[in-house]
Amino acid sequence: MHPPPPAAAAMDFSQNSLFGYMEDLQELTIIERPVRRSLKTPEEIERLTVDEDLSDIERAVYLLSAGQDIQGTSVIANLPFLMRQNPAETLRRVLPKVREVLHVAGVEMQLTAAVSFLTILQEESVSIHTYAHAFLQVILLHLEHRDAGVSNAWLETLLSVIEVLPKETLRHEILNPLVSKAQLSQTVQSRLVSCKILGKLTNKFDAHAIKREILPLVKSLCQDVEYEVRSCMCRQLENIAQGIGTELTKSVVLPELIELSRDESSSVRLAAFETLVNLLDVFDADDRSQTILPLVKSFCEKSFKADESILISLSFHLGKLCHGLYGIFTPDQHLRFLEFYKKLCTLGLQQENGHNENQIPPQILEQEKKYISVRKNCAYNFPAMIVFVDPKNFHMELYSTFFCLCHDPEVPVRYTIAICFYEVSKLLNSGVYLIHKELITLLQDESLEVLDALIDHLPEILELMSTGGESSVQENKLSSLPDLIPALTAAEQRAAASLKWRTHEKLLQKYACLPHIISSDQIYYRFLQRMFTIMMTNNVLPVQKAASRTLCVFLRYNRKQEQRHEVIQKLIEQLGQGKSYWNRLRFLDTCEFIIEIFSKSFFCKYFFLPAIELTHDPVANVRMKLCCLLPKVKSTLKIPADKHLLQQLEMCVRKLLCQEKDKDVLAIVKRTVLELDRMEMSMDAFQKKFYEKDLLDQEKEREELLLMEMEQLEKEKQQNDGRPMSDKTFEKKRRDTKTPTTLPKNIPISVPGPSGTSTPSTSKEVKKSKLIRSQSFNNQAFHAKYGNLDKCPSKSSTAGYTPSVSGLGKTSVISLTDDSFRTRNASSTPTSFSPSPSLPSTSRTGSSVDPKSSGSKDTQPRKATLKSRKSNP
């Protein structure tokens, strides 16, 4: 529901504007004239008209015989459908007409036929034998079409057909004719096609047949007089080597590659180099050191004097080359090869000047583009070069190069190094602290493409940054990243100010890792309010939902009770009870995330009643969304403890059924009631049927209780020791205790809590055990990481739902105040959050109170407040 645009902005009736509209209309009529002239005449329409009573087969035959080209092309495009519908009649009547038409067909019809033939093969409409008999000769006939695009299309179809044809068919129909097609007397196009077919055939025959029938043709084409044929055949040697085995590769293929690497044509030499790099794993150490290494060395030395395209290929294959030749370099060769890589990383940067691009000659611009491609390929191969020099030598050998790549003036280079940043971080391991500044640099990059590439693995990178470093002491984990928080906030603001909302959404999703990286207070003061602002002001729904979920994760791991209560209260007041229906919709999204992330008891305590109060919302969209959420809301209830909440839910659904006037909402309500009827209720005691889900929920509830205990123990420790316990000390303590992320099989059924029967003599031991459990929880919760949140089930098992409450006794309303919580003093309240006198909550064990007798206005039911205010759709 959007407000209509102002009338003054929509239409201006001044005299000047009217004249402008008239001119625009005249221009439109001028544009329309040629369109009208191109309409079909009655005679043309008559020729294009086909009798509607004809069957599909008859219509296809008629159009191929007497129709126009566009109609014939349509029939050929529809050939796979005809083959599925009636293969026998299509092969008998339609395919012969297709053969006749293709002899004189144009490019478009030829391309359509190649695609249709391939589709028929992939769909397996007929057997392979039938397909070969009906279609193979047509494909072979058009392989040498004069148009290169058509020829390539038919060749791709043939190569796919070769994969499934039997050996005998391949030998008689393809290999035997190929002997004559590969001769020098044939056209260049025919010999090029022969090269690609030979590369494909080697995977279909044994080594003996390849040596006897295929290798002679391969040698002949490698010695062809045309460099295009030699280059094409050279690129097929990799496939041939895989088919003939190691021995024949060393005795037949390697000599050909050595000769081709010295060819007069640069394209042939380049093809030989790339094939050698791809075949490095086939050759043994002697072949690599005595034959291949000298060739590679010579190729690298001559590359700067040759065409820049050779440098592009060389820089792209550099990582694979280093890996394949690793261990056979002498120290001098190792150093020279490393210097060659460093030179490629800065290629073209020395020639930069401040001239305008319009003043630079086109050939220089083209050369600079090739240099950018070289540096981009070097960034792509940077992780391989770290392995090449050993991560221990990174700072001395490659850090300056890494710095240059991260600060490269061209976006594609920085984008590529941002993609590789996580791999670099993993390889450096404890030396990851060396690239802290480069992480900040890329987070602050002016290009959102670079930021988007970096944040794909941002949680893993930040985890490595927080756990790595020169020492294993975690006291310095925050001081080692002093600029991290400003860089993260600046990155989010740049993404929010741009039109690339997907990058903004992704970044907000990745922020869910921050509780594992920085302290709870830093998240509360630097990120929580920003999440609220995005939820309430951003215009992109996926971005709002991402902010909502991340806020729920922040709330889940917040370590201070007062801060948690302020966040909950703000969610209820500003979203759940907000004036804008859009905010109330986002509150329901937030409720869905809370059900997923938190325990059932947490949702029931704070959000159950505010959620179901929206059944009285004046906006139909809000009621509709709530109805869709009700099954998940009911899944949070446990019987018999939550019987009163179940009664509240039943009463709300009954009112919707009786009072709802919107037909769309009423239809969803009826469908929801049926779904609620089929649900089974979760019980307080463990049930075998829902054992795993109940265990998971119990673990969530246990962690939430331990989080509260940890805060209380921290306060007691501060009072006893007389000094505050910093977040850094807590981080160290929580990581000192390693706890498995999975639940033990012998976990107690009851939720741990303070014992009411403990004696004074054992109070210290109890507190000590709680502190150990608190530290254990902290370690477990954060080392399980944000990834476990995605695994939390969003649906739980619940019991059968009946609109009637006759069997459940009186309906009761629980007090919405909780005396166990205290609001913060005004002096300690941050500017981003305002204190409120009470926090709505629902206790599982609270006493029933009549809602009309509740004294606080804030705790009145939603129905009462909605009547006194207007909705702002």
Side-chain angles (χ1 to χ4, degrees):
M1 302 172 71
H2 301 286
M11 187 69 70
D12 183 5
F13 290 101
S14 64
Q15 188 175 3
N16 294 333
S17 297
L18 287 176
F19 279 121
Y21 295 141
M22 292 294 294
E23 292 175 0
D24 293 341
L25 289 174
Q26 289 176 359
E27 291 178 2
L28 287 174
T29 57
I30 293 172
I31 295 172
E32 239 178 76
R33 283 171 191 166
V35 178
R36 289 175 181 172
R37 290 170 186 165
S38 65
L39 294 176
K40 301 296 182 183
T41 63
E43 292 79 10
E44 290 174 325
I45 294 176
E46 181 66 26
R47 288 200 303 269
L48 292 171
T49 303
V50 182
D51 187 0
E52 294 181 359
D53 296 332
L54 295 176
S55 66
D56 292 338
I57 299 294
E58 292 172 342
R59 185 183 300 110
V61 173
Y62 172 78
L63 293 176
L64 289 172
S65 303
Q68 296 188 6
D69 286 347
I70 188 172
Q71 293 175 314
T73 303
S74 176
V75 171
I76 293 176
N78 203 38
L79 202 58
F81 171 75
L82 296 176
M83 288 294 298
R84 290 194 300 269
Q85 191 180 48
N86 195 343
E89 285 298 304
T90 303
L91 292 175
R92 187 176 68 85
R93 299 182 59 187
V94 180
L95 194 59
K97 291 292 183 182
V98 172
R99 292 196 194 100
E100 294 176 10
V101 172
L102 287 178
H103 282 296
V104 292
V107 171
E108 185 176 357
M109 188 179 292
Q110 289 276 356
L111 294 174
T112 304
V115 173
S116 293
F117 282 24
L118 180 59
T119 304
I120 293 170
L121 174 72
Q122 294 170 343
E123 292 180 351
E124 300 180 355
S125 302
V126 293
S127 65
I128 296 301
H129 176 76
T130 304
Y131 185 91
H133 181 265
F135 296 95
L136 185 56
Q137 289 303 319
V138 183
I139 297 172
L140 293 172
L141 184 63
H142 295 90
L143 276 178
E144 299 179 27
H145 194 277
R146 60 182 178 275
D147 185 274
V150 173
S151 177
N152 288 332
W154 284 114
L155 178 61
E156 291 300 321
T157 302
L158 177 63
L159 296 180
S160 298
V161 173
I162 289 175
E163 291 283 351
V164 296
L165 288 179
K167 289 184 179 180
E168 290 304 316
T169 305
L170 289 174
R171 188 184 305 276
H172 291 97
E173 300 292 340
I174 298 178
L175 183 57
N176 292 341
L178 204 63
V179 177
S180 61
K181 296 290 184 182
Q183 300 301 316
L184 286 174
S185 58
Q186 298 294 323
T187 62
V188 173
Q189 185 176 349
S190 176
R191 304 203 297 275
L192 289 173
V193 169
S194 300
C195 293
K196 295 179 180 179
I197 294 175
L198 285 173
K200 199 72 174 180
L201 285 175
T202 52
N203 295 324
K204 302 297 294 185
F205 295 96
D206 54 35
H208 180 71
I210 294 174
K211 183 178 180 181
R212 187 181 71 253
E213 301 180 41
I214 295 180
L215 286 184
L217 294 175
V218 170
K219 290 182 179 180
S220 173
L221 291 169
C222 284
Q223 305 297 326
D224 197 278
V225 295
E226 297 294 337
Y227 75 92
E228 297 103 320
V229 179
R230 299 197 301 274
S231 176
C232 183
M233 191 67 252
C234 183
R235 294 189 181 279
Q236 299 300 320
L237 291 179
E238 180 181 354
N239 294 330
I240 294 171
Q242 294 173 355
I244 63 178
T246 305
E247 294 301 323
L248 280 176
T249 299
K250 293 172 64 175
S251 61
V252 178
V253 175
L254 185 57
E256 293 294 335
L257 282 173
I258 294 173
E259 186 173 352
L260 290 170
S261 65
R262 299 167 182 154
D263 196 275
E264 59 184 9
S265 172
S266 60
S267 63
V268 178
R269 295 197 302 271
L270 181 60
F273 169 75
E274 292 178 355
T275 305
L276 275 172
V277 173
N278 293 332
L279 290 176
L280 279 175
D281 294 336
V282 177
F283 305 117
D284 55 27
D286 291 337
D287 291 326
R288 295 180 193 175
S289 60
Q290 298 174 10
T291 306
I292 298 176
L293 183 58
L295 289 175
V296 171
K297 181 180 177 183
S298 173
F299 192 82
C300 293
E301 291 173 352
K302 296 177 181 178
S303 59
F304 281 100
K305 302 176 184 178
D307 183 34
E308 285 81 5
S309 59
I310 294 180
L311 280 177
I312 295 175
S313 176
L314 178 59
S315 61
F316 180 77
H317 290 90
L318 213 53
K320 188 182 292 186
L321 195 61
C322 291
H323 176 73
L325 297 178
Y326 188 80
I328 66 172
F329 284 112
T330 64
D332 182 59
Q333 290 171 337
H334 189 281
L335 180 61
R336 292 174 64 181
F337 206 86
L338 181 60
E339 291 301 321
F340 176 75
Y341 170 76
K342 293 180 181 178
K343 188 176 181 180
L344 291 180
C345 289
T346 58
L347 188 64
L349 295 180
Q350 299 84 356
Q351 302 175 6
E352 286 204 356
N353 48 44
H355 296 306
N356 192 340
E357 285 190 3
N358 297 328
Q359 302 174 354
I360 302 176
Q363 60 271 21
I364 300 298
L365 283 176
E366 188 65 28
Q367 185 184 56
E368 288 183 356
K369 289 180 181 178
K370 292 181 179 179
Y371 287 162
I372 293 171
S373 298
V374 170
R375 300 201 303 273
K376 177 183 175 182
N377 290 338
C378 288
Y380 168 77
N381 284 298
F382 193 84
M385 297 308 297
I386 293 180
V387 177
F388 183 68
V389 301
D390 195 304
K392 296 178 181 178
N393 301 322
F394 169 79
H395 187 264
M396 183 182 301
E397 301 289 351
L398 283 176
Y399 175 74
S400 60
T401 302
F402 185 69
F403 178 87
C404 290
L405 292 173
C406 290
H407 292 81
D408 195 278
E410 299 298 331
V411 172
V413 181
R414 303 198 305 274
Y415 173 83
T416 306
I417 200 65
I419 292 177
C420 298
F421 200 94
Y422 174 51
E423 293 297 327
V424 173
S425 302
K426 285 197 300 183
L427 289 171
L428 293 180
N429 198 6
S430 61
V432 71
Y433 68 93
L434 295 170
I435 57 174
H436 284 175
K437 293 181 179 179
E438 283 64 41
L439 172 63
I440 304 301
T441 299
L442 293 177
L443 280 173
Q444 296 174 338
D445 196 281
E446 60 185 11
S447 171
L448 281 180
E449 294 179 9
V450 177
L451 178 63
D452 189 83
L454 183 67
I455 61 180
D456 282 334
H457 291 285
L458 185 62
E460 295 86 355
I461 293 171
L462 292 179
E463 182 185 2
L464 288 170
M465 292 287 182
S466 64
T467 58
E470 288 183 286
S471 66
S472 59
V473 179
Q474 296 304 313
E475 288 279 344
N476 299 323
K477 78 156 192 161
L478 296 176
S479 61
S480 64
L481 291 171
D483 300 326
L484 175 62
I485 294 178
L488 288 173
T489 54
E492 188 275 324
Q493 290 170 2
R494 283 202 320 280
S498 72
L499 297 177
K500 297 182 177 180
W501 63 265
R502 288 180 177 84
T503 299
H504 192 199
E505 178 195 15
K506 188 196 300 186
L507 184 60
L508 293 176
Q509 291 171 346
K510 301 300 181 181
Y511 275 5
C513 74
L514 291 181
H516 185 52
I517 309 301
I518 59 180
S519 69
S520 175
D521 279 342
Q522 287 174 315
I523 292 175
Y524 179 75
Y525 291 111
R526 299 300 296 271
F527 293 97
L528 261 174
Q529 176 59 29
R530 180 59 182 165
M531 296 301 112
F532 268 113
T533 302
I534 294 171
M535 290 170 63
M536 300 187 68
T537 62
N538 197 281
N539 295 325
V540 182
L541 180 58
V543 172
Q544 287 182 312
K545 287 189 174 182
S548 175
R549 192 183 194 285
T550 300
L551 184 143
C552 291
V553 175
F554 290 166
L555 178 63
R556 172 71 174 78
Y557 292 113
N558 187 282
R559 294 229 315 265
K560 293 191 176 179
Q561 189 172 349
E562 291 175 315
Q563 294 177 358
R564 289 196 299 272
H565 290 169
E566 287 181 7
V567 174
I568 294 170
Q569 187 165 347
K570 195 165 186 178
L571 283 171
I572 295 173
E573 291 181 355
Q574 297 192 18
L575 292 182
Q577 300 173 359
K579 294 181 179 180
S580 170
Y581 87 104
W582 190 255
N583 289 342
R584 302 197 293 276
L585 288 175
R586 300 293 72 77
F587 175 75
L588 293 177
D589 289 330
T590 306
C591 286
E592 191 169 0
F593 294 135
I594 288 172
I595 292 173
E596 173 190 350
I597 295 171
F598 289 83
S599 66
K600 296 178 180 180
S601 60
F602 182 91
F603 176 82
C604 290
K605 186 173 185 178
Y606 298 112
F607 292 95
F608 186 92
L609 288 181
I612 64 173
E613 283 174 6
L614 292 178
T615 53
H616 310 294
D617 197 278
V619 180
N621 287 358
V622 178
R623 302 195 301 274
M624 193 180 302
K625 187 174 183 66
L626 175 63
C627 290
C628 297
L629 186 64
L630 284 180
K632 291 185 178 181
V633 172
K634 187 183 176 185
S635 70
T636 62
L637 301 179
K638 291 183 179 181
I639 296 300
D642 296 326
K643 182 187 295 186
H644 55 287
L645 296 180
L646 180 61
Q647 293 173 356
Q648 292 279 74
L649 180 63
E650 291 173 347
M651 182 172 61
C652 291
V653 174
R654 189 186 305 114
K655 287 182 179 179
L656 281 174
L657 282 171
C658 299
Q659 302 175 5
E660 184 58 55
K661 297 179 181 179
D662 188 285
K663 60 179 182 180
D664 296 325
V665 178
L666 187 58
I668 293 179
V669 171
K670 293 178 179 178
R671 189 165 64 244
T672 302
V673 168
L674 294 176
E675 185 176 352
L676 293 172
D677 282 338
R678 292 191 295 266
M679 294 176 67
E680 296 184 11
M681 255 336 245
S682 226
M683 310 298 289
D684 281 342
F686 272 37
Q687 297 172 277
K688 185 177 181 180
K689 188 174 183 180
F690 312 120
Y691 184 75
E692 293 183 1
K693 293 181 180 180
D694 289 344
L695 266 184
L696 181 61
D697 181 69
Q698 188 199 44
E699 181 65 10
K700 290 180 184 178
E701 190 170 351
R702 185 178 70 86
E703 291 174 358
E704 291 161 6
L705 289 173
L706 288 177
L707 197 64
M708 299 173 64
E709 291 178 9
M710 183 170 60
E711 179 187 10
Q712 184 63 31
L713 292 172
E714 179 184 4
K715 291 179 180 179
E716 293 179 5
K717 187 173 181 62
Q718 290 177 10
Q719 293 174 358
N720 294 335
D721 297 348
R723 58 183 178 87
M725 183 181 294
S726 65
D727 265 336
K728 298 176 183 178
T729 306
F730 255 107
E731 294 296 333
K732 179 181 178 181
K733 286 180 176 296
R734 83 177 186 193
R735 295 182 188 276
D736 286 342
T737 307
K738 300 296 180 183
T739 312
T741 57
T742 56
L743 292 177
K745 295 183 179 179
N746 57 351
I747 187 170
I749 299 299
S750 60
V751 178
S755 174
T757 58
S758 58
T759 60
S761 60
T762 60
S763 61
K764 293 184 179 180
E765 287 76 2
V766 171
K767 291 182 179 179
K768 184 177 180 181
S769 65
K770 287 183 179 179
L771 180 59
I772 294 174
R773 287 186 306 168
S774 301
Q775 295 171 355
S776 173
F777 150 70
N778 223 347
N779 177 73
Q780 173 179 341
F782 285 89
H783 279 269
K785 296 196 302 184
Y786 46 86
N788 287 350
L789 296 177
D790 297 331
K791 301 177 182 178
C792 296
S794 58
K795 294 183 179 180
S796 300
S797 303
T798 48
Y801 179 88
T802 54
S804 173
V805 295
S806 58
L808 296 177
K810 289 186 178 181
T811 301
S812 58
V813 180
I814 302 306
S815 172
L816 297 181
T817 58
D818 191 345
D819 295 336
S820 63
F821 302 134
R822 297 288 187 267
T823 57
R824 302 179 65 182
N825 295 329
S827 60
S828 63
T829 303
T831 57
S832 57
F833 294 99
S834 59
S836 187
S838 62
L839 178 66
S841 65
T842 304
S843 173
R844 291 183 184 271
T845 58
S847 58
S848 301
V849 180
D850 188 349
K852 295 182 181 179
S853 63
S854 180
S856 173
K857 180 180 179 181
D858 291 338
T859 60
Q860 292 297 324
R862 170 71 181 171
K863 184 175 180 180
T865 61
L866 282 173
K867 289 182 178 179
S868 61
R869 64 170 177 78
K870 293 183 180 180
S871 176
N872 184 18

